[in-house]
């Protein structure tokens, strides 16, 4: 009997004009010119200020059995791994599952507290997805971001469900979702407006 595979899903917060981060990203301002403090406090205000109102969506975001992210989301270190860096989330990251980090520079797996282990994948997005599927079993795989990584998976036709969390602000420039992605057929299956965000879920149709 063939084992059922879970879905490939993506949750990403964007501005009303489609940006997940602003220009001029640095280690001190990882979200760049984001209309706030550079740490996404305005984009992600809904997560911090109104957690109970958005509990269903935040629970969904951490329900996957394996995660994929780009190196830019993992941290500010570029090129060779010339210093210790284990992500922005401290010793006990919120994933509690394997996380596959896309990079051009090899590194040994990094186990963390709480069941998270970072694996560093140097041979592309499809390899990362194959490894994540094995790790997830019949559970879902979540492509975490940032937008550049999500765009690669969308362009390759590898995402089944896209969950957008749209913040009520515009950035005007930065890292934009759907940049370089060919036209997609999206089927809206859910939408909910909250005080600081609108949640919209699409199935991505071939």
């Amino acid at each position: 009997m063939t084992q059922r595979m879970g879905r490939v899903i993506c949750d990403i917060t964007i501005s009303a004009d489609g940006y997940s981060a602003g220009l001029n990203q640095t280690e001190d301002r990882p979200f760049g010119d984001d209309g706030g403090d550079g740490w996404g406090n305005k984009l992600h205000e809904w997560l911090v200020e109104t957690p109970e109102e958005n509990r269903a969506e935040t629970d969904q975001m951490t329900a996957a059995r394996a995660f994929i992210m780009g190196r830019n989301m993992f941290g500010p270190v570029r090129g060779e791994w010339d210093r210790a860096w284990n992500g922005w989330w401290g010793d006990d990251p919120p994933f509690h599952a394997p996380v596959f980090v896309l990079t051009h520079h090899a590194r040994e797996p990094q186990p963390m507290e709480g069941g998270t282990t970072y694996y560093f994948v140097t041979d592309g997005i499809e390899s990362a997805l194959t490894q994540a599927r094995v790790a997830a079993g019949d559970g879902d795989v979540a492509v975490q971001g940032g937008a550049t990584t999500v765009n690669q998976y969308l362009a390759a036709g590898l995402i089944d469900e896209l969950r957008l969390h749209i913040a009520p602000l515009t950035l005007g420039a930065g890292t934009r979702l759907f940049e370089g992605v060919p036209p997609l057929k999206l089927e809206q299956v859910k939408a909910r407006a909250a005080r600081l965000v609108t949640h919209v879920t699409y199935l991505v149709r071939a």
Side-chain angles (χ1 to χ4, degrees), residues 105-181:
H105 299 275
R107 177 177 164 179
E108 290 298 310
Q110 178 63 53
M112 306 293 290
E113 295 176 13
T116 298
T117 298
Y118 296 117
Y119 296 92
F120 300 90
V121 181
T122 59
D123 51 351
I125 65 170
E126 293 193 8
S127 174
L129 180 55
T130 297
Q131 294 178 59
R133 282 194 184 280
V134 171
D138 62 358
D140 291 339
V141 172
V143 179
Q144 288 290 97
T148 300
T149 296
V150 174
N151 289 343
Q152 292 180 59
Y153 278 94
L154 285 170
L158 296 174
I159 290 180
D160 301 313
E161 183 171 303
L162 181 62
R163 304 169 183 165
L164 303 184
H165 311 287
I166 304 168
L169 77 162
T170 62
L171 298 184
T175 305
R176 182 176 176 273
L177 188 65
F178 302 122
E179 191 73 39
V181 177

Side-chain angles (χ1 to χ4, degrees), residues 6 11 29 43 47 54 70 91 96 101 103 108 145 151 156 158 168 187 198 201 206:
D11 279 275
R29 294 178 61 88
L43 272 170
L47 282 167
N54 300 287
D91 293 332
H96 308 299
V101 180
T103 177
E108 290 298 310
N151 289 343
L158 296 174
E187 177 185 342
T198 299
T201 299

Side-chain angles (χ1 to χ4, degrees), residues 168-205:
L169 77 162
T170 62
L171 298 184
T175 305
R176 182 176 176 273
L177 188 65
F178 302 122
E179 191 73 39
V181 177
L184 300 172
K185 182 178 180 182
L186 303 176
E187 177 185 342
Q188 182 174 308
V189 293
K190 190 184 300 182
R192 186 178 77 83
R195 183 164 65 88
L196 297 175
V197 65
T198 299
H199 307 286
V200 185
T201 299
Y202 299 102
L203 299 181
V204 183
R205 299 301 193 189

Side-chain angles (χ1 to χ4, degrees), residues 6-7 48 50 59 64 137 174 189:
R7 302 163 297 170
V48 177
T50 54
D59 286 349
V189 293

Side-chain angles (χ1 to χ4, degrees), residues 52-137:
E52 290 306 319
E53 185 181 9
N54 300 287
R55 181 65 61 194
E57 287 80 12
T58 55
D59 286 349
Q60 273 191 328
M61 290 169 70
T62 56
R65 301 275 285 279
F67 298 84
I68 297 170
M69 69 175 64
R71 184 163 174 180
N72 192 50
M73 181 172 176
F74 181 69
V77 182
R78 299 292 178 265
E80 297 292 341
W81 298 97
D82 58 358
R83 62 177 163 128
W85 182 268
N86 295 326
W88 298 103
W89 303 276
D91 293 332
D92 185 6
F95 309 106
H96 308 299
V99 179
F100 297 86
V101 180
L102 296 161
T103 177
H104 294 296
H105 299 275
R107 177 177 164 179
E108 290 298 310
Q110 178 63 53
M112 306 293 290
E113 295 176 13
T116 298
T117 298
Y118 296 117
Y119 296 92
F120 300 90
V121 181
T122 59
D123 51 351
I125 65 170
E126 293 193 8
S127 174
L129 180 55
T130 297
Q131 294 178 59
R133 282 194 184 280
V134 171

